[in-house]
Amino acid sequence: MVTPEQVESMICAQIPDAQVMVNDLTGGGDHLQVTVVSSAFAGKSLIKQHQLVYGAVQAAMSTEAIHALALKTYTPDRWLNEAQG
């Protein structure tokens, strides 16, 4: 099990400008929904964006500390557009 703070730290270490929101979907700490907003995603496909995040949490996933990870990734502009509409 990892804490939401640990997941946020792992992602921010890999993607320094990331804004990270972590939700524990089951209360057990191993099924997480993570939303990441970063300018590092600009010009990248959704698959490439998710690969960046998976790369950051790979160690926790390989030990099954994270069993399931639902990702939502946004550039800052897209995040603003989604929030407004």
Side-chain angles (χ1 to χ4, degrees):
M1 183 174 106
V2 295
T3 67
E5 293 80 15
Q6 289 171 316
V7 173
E8 182 178 350
S9 292
M10 286 185 264
I11 294 170
C12 288
Q14 200 74 16
I15 309 169
D17 78 328
Q19 296 174 20
V20 182
M21 291 143 277
V22 181
N23 295 316
D24 185 344
L25 297 175
T26 62
D30 61 346
H31 288 71
L32 305 174
Q33 178 176 338
V34 178
T35 302
V36 184
V37 181
S38 173
S39 60
F41 299 145
K44 291 183 173 54
S45 69
L46 192 58
I47 291 171
K48 293 289 185 189
Q49 293 174 23
H50 287 200
Q51 286 175 337
L52 281 173
V53 178
Y54 279 120
V57 297
Q58 181 178 3
M61 293 194 74
S62 68
T63 63
E64 296 190 17
I66 298 174
H67 179 73
L69 184 66
L71 287 179
K72 295 182 181 182
T73 55
Y74 300 90
T75 62
D77 288 342
R78 185 164 163 246
W79 177 252
L80 288 175
N81 289 339
E82 294 282 327
Q84 292 175 0

